[in-house]
Every structure is written in C-alpha cells, then in structure tokens.
Amino acid sequence: MPLTRRLLMGGLAFGALAPKAATAGPFPVPDSLPLEKEDYGDARRRFSTHLLRMGPAPEASPPLGTPPGSKRVFYPGGPDGSIQLIAWLSSYEPSLKLKPAVLFLHGGNATGDGHWELMKPYVDAGFVVLLPSFRGENGQDGAFSGFYDETSDALAAAHYLESLPGIDKDRLFLAGHSNGGTLSLLSSMTRRFRASVPISAGVNSWRFFSRYTEDIRFDVSDPREFLMRSSVCFGPSLKCPTLLLRGTEERPFDRDHQLLMDRARAAGVSIEAKMLPGTHNGVVPGAVHESIRFFNQVAT
C-alpha cells in the first residue's frame, strides 16, 4: 500500500481550564493551556471518553495482510482486552540473552505495508519490533475515538510485546510518527518505557481537532475530552527520557512543544527536541535511525 499523508500522520484539575476561551470551529479553545497536577496515568483510570458517534477510523483502508519480514499476531486491545487487534511482529528466536524491543506506533488512521517497510533499520540493529494496528482500522472491531482509546490499545500492545519470551522488559522502547507520535507521548505519560521518541507529534488536541474536524467523535462540549488528549497539559507525567523529532520542511516546533518541554524539565524529566532534514513524511527514515542512536545511548 502506498504511504499517504494520512497514513503517516498523522487531584486532576479539570477546573483549571482557563475561563476565557476563543472559538475555533465547533468548540471553544482555552486562552492558555492548563497544567494538570495529577499524574496522567492516574487521571486515565478515572476518566472514560464519551463518544457521540461510534464507527470505524476516518480513513478507507483494506484488510491487513502480512508484509514480508513480519509475523501477523493478535493482541487484546483496549483496557479490558475485549478487542482482538492485529499487529506485525519481526521474526526472532528467543534465547537466554534477552533482546531489546521497539514498539512503533504508525501515523494516520490506518495501517499499511509501507509502515512496516520503515521498521527494517530497527531489526537490522538487533531490536524486536512490534507495529500494532488500532481499533476501527482496516475493518477491525472497535470504535475510533481520536487518541484516547487508541492510547489504551498502544499500552495493551506494549504489554503484549514485553510479555513475549526472550524480550528484555528493561529495554522496551517506544517510537511513533505523527498520530503515532501523539500516542507515544500519551502512552509514555501512562507507564514507563526505557525511552520514547515521538516523531512529528501533536501535543495540543484543541489545535489538532480544529484542523481535522472529521476525526472528532467525542463530546466537544466537555473540555476534559480535549484535556485528556493533550500531552502539553501533563508534561510532568512523562516517565522516561524523551526525544522529540521533527522535519525541517514541516510545521516547526512551536510554543506548545516548548511549553511541554518546559513543564517536563521542571519536573526533572529528560526531554530534548531535534530537527532533521525532511518533510512530514520524508523525515521518518532519518528519524528511525536517530531513534536507534538515542535508544542505544540511553541503554548504555
């Protein structure tokens, strides 16, 4: 399947939302982005998204096959394991010497063979790779929610990967591009990975859904829905060293990304940002290699 832009994209202080708000599209936007004091993982345990529309992901896509060099596996998605979802796993032989692993979260709202082709450098570098699909994609079960329940799927995929025989749980790494980069940030605010590399990630869901209104399935009258999809509001919750990557020819890092980094650093989190040559899609191969360098650096 050819890669398209959409395929590669891409105490909880709910009362802390700024009282003044501008309107962007069908919902109000806070004048300033709140900083939440409660840990994001704790907040997730007591929040459930309210979807007004139930249906598949907003991207037409064929059923998933098995690209060369991968093994088709199934993992129990969601927080309760009630949805069986497809993932692609690199071939490896379990041994007494445990292997490092990378969970890579694809961009866009559908999975394609082109995503798997980008994983080869990880395999060549000695990592076991798992690339999961998410609810509602490629004809699979489950309702698309726009970053929230998909984060549950990403966390379930992480648990599946680290539970495989021969995998070193202490060297479980996370990366993702565009929509997958957004999910990488939210996932690494929920549980610990050895390191995380979000590529071209969104951090402000008000901004994202102002541009992609067709992705909105939740109740926009509830500001908590946006809050729980915005990593910038939970910077101190990051639980591992993080490297934000972005292409020089795409939208630059902005004040929202800087605010995320400032908030994370104030809490003692190691987080950096780096620009690499390329467009939104074109940056991915170089970013994969840069993530390998970062993972090896962190692991030593």
Short mmCIF file of all heavy atoms in Angstrom, two decimals, residues 12 17 29 32 47 74 119 122 148 153 167 174 189-190 195 202 218 235 247-248 261:
data_model
loop_
_atom_site.label_atom_id
_atom_site.label_comp_id
_atom_site.label_asym_id
_atom_site.label_seq_id
_atom_site.Cartn_x
_atom_site.Cartn_y
_atom_site.Cartn_z
N LEU A 12 -6.90 15.75 39.63
CA LEU A 12 -6.97 16.25 38.30
C LEU A 12 -7.74 17.56 38.28
O LEU A 12 -8.90 17.62 38.60
CB LEU A 12 -7.66 15.24 37.39
CG LEU A 12 -7.71 15.63 35.91
CD1 LEU A 12 -6.30 15.77 35.37
CD2 LEU A 12 -8.46 14.58 35.15
N LEU A 17 -8.96 24.72 33.56
CA LEU A 17 -9.08 25.27 32.22
C LEU A 17 -9.39 26.76 32.31
O LEU A 17 -10.20 27.20 33.13
CB LEU A 17 -10.20 24.56 31.45
CG LEU A 17 -9.88 23.15 30.98
CD1 LEU A 17 -11.15 22.48 30.48
CD2 LEU A 17 -8.85 23.16 29.89
N VAL A 29 -11.75 27.13 22.63
CA VAL A 29 -10.35 26.83 22.86
C VAL A 29 -9.85 27.69 24.02
O VAL A 29 -10.09 28.90 24.03
CB VAL A 29 -9.51 27.12 21.60
CG1 VAL A 29 -8.04 26.89 21.86
CG2 VAL A 29 -9.99 26.26 20.43
N SER A 32 -5.18 29.86 27.50
CA SER A 32 -3.89 29.30 27.90
C SER A 32 -4.10 27.83 28.24
O SER A 32 -5.16 27.45 28.76
CB SER A 32 -3.30 30.05 29.10
OG SER A 32 -4.18 29.98 30.21
N PHE A 47 -11.20 8.34 34.15
CA PHE A 47 -11.87 9.05 33.06
C PHE A 47 -12.24 8.08 31.96
O PHE A 47 -11.48 7.17 31.63
CB PHE A 47 -10.95 10.14 32.49
CG PHE A 47 -11.54 10.88 31.32
CD1 PHE A 47 -12.43 11.92 31.53
CD2 PHE A 47 -11.22 10.53 30.02
CE1 PHE A 47 -12.98 12.61 30.45
CE2 PHE A 47 -11.77 11.20 28.94
CZ PHE A 47 -12.66 12.25 29.16
N PHE A 74 -1.89 -11.39 17.05
CA PHE A 74 -3.07 -10.72 17.59
C PHE A 74 -2.80 -10.34 19.04
O PHE A 74 -2.21 -11.12 19.79
CB PHE A 74 -4.30 -11.63 17.51
CG PHE A 74 -4.71 -11.95 16.10
CD1 PHE A 74 -4.21 -13.06 15.45
CD2 PHE A 74 -5.61 -11.13 15.43
CE1 PHE A 74 -4.59 -13.36 14.15
CE2 PHE A 74 -5.99 -11.42 14.13
CZ PHE A 74 -5.47 -12.53 13.49
N MET A 119 10.43 -0.22 9.27
CA MET A 119 10.93 -0.85 10.50
C MET A 119 12.25 -1.61 10.32
O MET A 119 12.88 -2.01 11.30
CB MET A 119 9.88 -1.82 11.06
CG MET A 119 8.53 -1.18 11.41
SD MET A 119 8.65 0.10 12.69
CE MET A 119 8.67 1.60 11.71
N TYR A 122 15.41 -0.96 12.52
CA TYR A 122 15.34 -1.46 13.90
C TYR A 122 15.73 -2.93 13.95
O TYR A 122 16.51 -3.35 14.83
CB TYR A 122 13.92 -1.30 14.46
CG TYR A 122 13.48 0.11 14.75
CD1 TYR A 122 12.30 0.60 14.19
CD2 TYR A 122 14.21 0.93 15.59
CE1 TYR A 122 11.87 1.89 14.46
CE2 TYR A 122 13.78 2.22 15.88
CZ TYR A 122 12.62 2.70 15.31
OH TYR A 122 12.19 3.96 15.58
N TYR A 148 -7.78 8.67 22.34
CA TYR A 148 -7.96 8.25 23.74
C TYR A 148 -7.97 6.73 23.90
O TYR A 148 -7.07 6.16 24.52
CB TYR A 148 -9.20 8.87 24.37
CG TYR A 148 -9.16 8.68 25.87
CD1 TYR A 148 -8.31 9.44 26.65
CD2 TYR A 148 -9.88 7.67 26.49
CE1 TYR A 148 -8.19 9.23 28.01
CE2 TYR A 148 -9.78 7.45 27.84
CZ TYR A 148 -8.93 8.23 28.60
OH TYR A 148 -8.80 8.00 29.95
N ASP A 153 -5.04 0.95 23.42
CA ASP A 153 -4.55 -0.11 22.54
C ASP A 153 -3.03 -0.12 22.50
O ASP A 153 -2.40 -1.18 22.52
CB ASP A 153 -5.10 0.09 21.12
CG ASP A 153 -6.60 -0.09 21.04
OD1 ASP A 153 -7.18 -0.74 21.94
OD2 ASP A 153 -7.20 0.43 20.08
N ILE A 167 12.23 -11.31 25.55
CA ILE A 167 12.24 -9.86 25.46
C ILE A 167 12.72 -9.27 26.79
O ILE A 167 12.27 -9.67 27.87
CB ILE A 167 10.85 -9.31 25.12
CG1 ILE A 167 10.38 -9.84 23.76
CG2 ILE A 167 10.85 -7.78 25.13
CD1 ILE A 167 11.28 -9.48 22.61
N LEU A 174 9.92 2.97 22.87
CA LEU A 174 8.69 3.41 22.22
C LEU A 174 9.01 4.49 21.19
O LEU A 174 9.81 5.40 21.45
CB LEU A 174 7.72 3.97 23.26
CG LEU A 174 6.39 4.55 22.76
CD1 LEU A 174 5.54 3.48 22.11
CD2 LEU A 174 5.64 5.21 23.93
N MET A 189 3.33 8.83 29.17
CA MET A 189 2.87 9.53 30.36
C MET A 189 2.04 8.61 31.25
O MET A 189 1.70 8.97 32.37
CB MET A 189 2.04 10.75 29.97
CG MET A 189 2.86 11.86 29.36
SD MET A 189 1.86 13.29 28.88
CE MET A 189 3.17 14.47 28.52
N THR A 190 1.71 7.43 30.74
CA THR A 190 0.88 6.49 31.47
C THR A 190 1.71 5.41 32.16
O THR A 190 1.42 4.99 33.28
CB THR A 190 -0.14 5.82 30.53
OG1 THR A 190 -0.84 6.84 29.80
CG2 THR A 190 -1.13 4.98 31.29
N ALA A 195 12.87 4.48 26.93
CA ALA A 195 12.97 5.79 26.30
C ALA A 195 11.87 5.89 25.25
O ALA A 195 11.34 4.88 24.78
CB ALA A 195 14.34 6.00 25.67
N GLY A 202 1.73 15.63 17.74
CA GLY A 202 0.88 16.71 18.20
C GLY A 202 0.79 16.68 19.72
O GLY A 202 0.76 15.60 20.32
N PHE A 218 -16.01 12.58 19.91
CA PHE A 218 -16.35 12.75 21.32
C PHE A 218 -17.18 14.02 21.53
O PHE A 218 -17.38 14.83 20.61
CB PHE A 218 -15.08 12.79 22.17
CG PHE A 218 -14.07 13.81 21.70
CD1 PHE A 218 -14.13 15.14 22.12
CD2 PHE A 218 -13.04 13.45 20.83
CE1 PHE A 218 -13.22 16.07 21.68
CE2 PHE A 218 -12.11 14.38 20.40
CZ PHE A 218 -12.20 15.70 20.82
N GLY A 235 2.84 17.59 31.14
CA GLY A 235 4.29 17.46 30.97
C GLY A 235 5.00 16.73 32.09
O GLY A 235 5.85 15.87 31.83
N GLY A 247 10.67 17.25 11.10
CA GLY A 247 11.34 17.57 9.86
C GLY A 247 11.50 19.06 9.65
O GLY A 247 10.64 19.86 10.07
N THR A 248 12.56 19.46 9.01
CA THR A 248 12.82 20.88 8.76
C THR A 248 11.83 21.50 7.79
O THR A 248 11.67 22.72 7.76
CB THR A 248 14.25 21.07 8.21
OG1 THR A 248 14.42 20.23 7.05
CG2 THR A 248 15.30 20.70 9.24
N MET A 261 8.00 20.85 26.92
CA MET A 261 9.36 20.58 27.38
C MET A 261 9.66 21.34 28.67
O MET A 261 10.29 20.79 29.59
CB MET A 261 10.36 20.95 26.28
CG MET A 261 10.30 19.99 25.10
SD MET A 261 11.67 20.22 23.92
CE MET A 261 11.19 21.79 23.21
#
